[in-house]
Amino acid sequence: MECALNGRQLGPSLLKLFDTFLVDCDGVLWIQDSAVKGAEAAIRTLRSHNKRVLFVSNNCGKTVEQFQEKFRTLLHLEDIPSRDIINSAVSTAIYLKNKMDLEKEKVFVIAQDAFTKTLDSYGIKSFGPGFAEPKAFVDWTTFDVDPSVKYVIVSYDPFFNHTKLTEAYLYLTENKAELLSPDVDQFFSVSSTRKIPGSFCVQAAVSSVLGGDRTPKIMGKPDKFMFDLIQQEHGEMDRGRTVMIGDNYKTDMGFGFNCGVSTALVLTGNTKEGDVEGLGRRPDFVLGSIGDIGAE
């Protein structure tokens, strides 16, 4: 397959080539609280052709229920099943539920509040989101390192500060806790023309205090773990008939490359048209937007 920019011509042909569509959300279907033009029509077109459509997102700052609300309010799609929405908080929760002692172990979370709500729904004890009061040096001499904390989650946290960094460091070094991260997104799109630092900057801070030689196990894209999880939940996919649609070259296209499925890059989010020529491995397809799929 060849990378091309004539998305309105390519879009309908994807319907013939693929049976399963793995679709990112932020930057593909919507940007913040605005729907991407044509996104609703694209999803309706895929579903009317009996395609399997799974929404695969690194956004762990929303619960599945909040995703469903965005589908309803922005795309007027009332019936997106919760099991068809797989975000990196869900993949992390399933990983932890299958590994940890739910009665005795806890998770320290550097992330947004929605992350702990997802963990709670799986019976996982966690804490950490929200504002953390700054501590003086002397406060750390008497800080109680809870021995039941065996996992540390590191993601985007608007309240991230030295207190949270130090607490994570103590659990990771004194408890030998396992370090996990839902995603490696370097930037988040906040508008069609602006992006801000994402989860990766928080991960880099935590890794740096560990000497730089200890990096988190990644629960979301581009790691193959998430693909394996999707197959466990939804059955085997024919990789030759599966395509990953996303706006982020590193995470979305990387996910497709790592998992052996086709890739379609849309230019409505992180990656812009001017970036395409400088890419290393090229996506199989480049579309102006996901709306090209529903174009007549």
Side-chain angles (χ1 to χ4, degrees):
M1 299 179 188
E2 294 184 357
C3 177
L5 286 168
N6 55 335
R8 290 183 66 83
Q9 296 175 18
L10 279 175
S13 70
L14 299 184
L15 295 171
K16 300 176 182 178
L17 293 171
F18 303 109
D19 301 317
T20 299
F21 289 74
L22 306 177
V23 182
D24 183 37
C25 297
D26 296 279
V28 177
L29 302 176
W30 53 68
I31 299 175
Q32 298 300 316
D33 292 323
S34 298
V36 169
K37 184 178 180 181
E40 176 187 348
I43 301 304
R44 291 190 184 279
T45 296
L46 292 173
R47 298 176 84 189
S48 70
H49 284 77
N50 297 315
K51 302 300 181 180
R52 178 162 57 170
V53 185
L54 303 176
F55 302 98
V56 185
S57 173
N58 270 1
N59 186 345
C60 60
K62 287 184 172 57
T63 63
V64 168
E65 292 74 20
Q66 288 172 319
F67 272 98
Q68 289 177 305
E69 180 62 18
K70 294 204 82 164
F71 277 108
R72 286 191 291 267
T73 58
L74 298 183
L75 302 186
H76 310 106
L77 297 171
E78 302 285 340
D79 57 345
I80 302 297
S82 59
R83 72 185 303 267
D84 289 352
I85 302 170
I86 307 98
N87 74 339
S88 52
V90 169
S91 61
T92 305
I94 293 175
Y95 173 83
L96 289 170
K97 185 175 181 179
N98 291 334
K99 187 173 183 181
M100 67 186 292
D101 185 330
L102 296 179
E103 292 299 320
K104 297 179 180 179
E105 296 179 340
K106 298 177 186 175
V107 182
F108 176 61
V109 176
I110 298 177
Q112 298 177 79
D113 184 60
F115 199 103
T116 55
K117 291 180 180 178
T118 297
L119 296 183
D120 287 345
S121 70
Y122 283 81
I124 296 167
K125 299 173 185 176
S126 64
F127 65 99
F131 179 72
E133 288 283 352
K135 294 182 183 294
F137 283 1
V138 68
D139 295 330
W140 292 110
T141 63
T142 57
F143 179 79
D144 180 23
V145 178
D146 185 344
S148 68
V149 177
K150 299 299 184 182
Y151 300 88
V152 173
I153 306 293
V154 180
S155 185
Y156 171 74
D157 183 348
F159 297 105
F160 181 64
N161 61 7
H162 186 269
T163 298
K164 293 190 176 190
L165 176 63
T166 305
E167 192 167 352
Y169 171 78
L170 294 175
Y171 294 132
L172 290 164
T173 55
E174 297 188 15
N175 286 1
K176 307 300 181 187
E178 182 176 357
L179 179 60
L180 306 173
S181 183
D183 65 273
V184 291
D185 288 51
Q186 190 170 4
F187 295 102
F188 298 145
S189 293
V190 293
S191 74
S192 60
T193 58
R194 177 170 291 174
K195 54 188 179 182
I196 63 171
S199 303
F200 185 76
C201 65
V202 182
Q203 296 165 22
V206 173
S207 293
S208 69
V209 299
L210 297 172
D213 57 353
R214 188 174 174 190
T215 57
K217 178 177 177 61
I218 305 304
M219 298 284 100
K221 300 173 292 186
D223 198 272
K224 188 174 176 292
F225 168 79
M226 198 175 201
F227 185 82
D228 294 339
L229 177 66
I230 293 169
Q231 291 203 115
Q232 289 174 22
E233 297 292 311
H234 292 271
E236 290 290 321
M237 301 179 203
D238 181 347
R239 299 185 193 217
R241 299 280 299 175
T242 300
V243 62
M244 175 69 215
I245 302 176
D247 68 301
N248 188 311
Y249 178 79
K250 181 178 179 181
T251 57
D252 297 323
M253 300 304 96
F255 186 63
F257 299 154
N258 290 341
C259 300
V261 302
S262 295
T263 51
L265 178 69
V266 298
L267 303 176
T268 47
N270 267 284
T271 308
K272 305 300 183 184
E273 184 171 348
D275 302 326
V276 173
E277 289 302 319
L279 298 179
R281 180 176 175 180
R282 300 288 289 274
D284 296 305
F285 305 96
V286 177
L287 309 176
S289 80
I290 196 172
D292 292 338
I293 291 176
E296 298 295 334

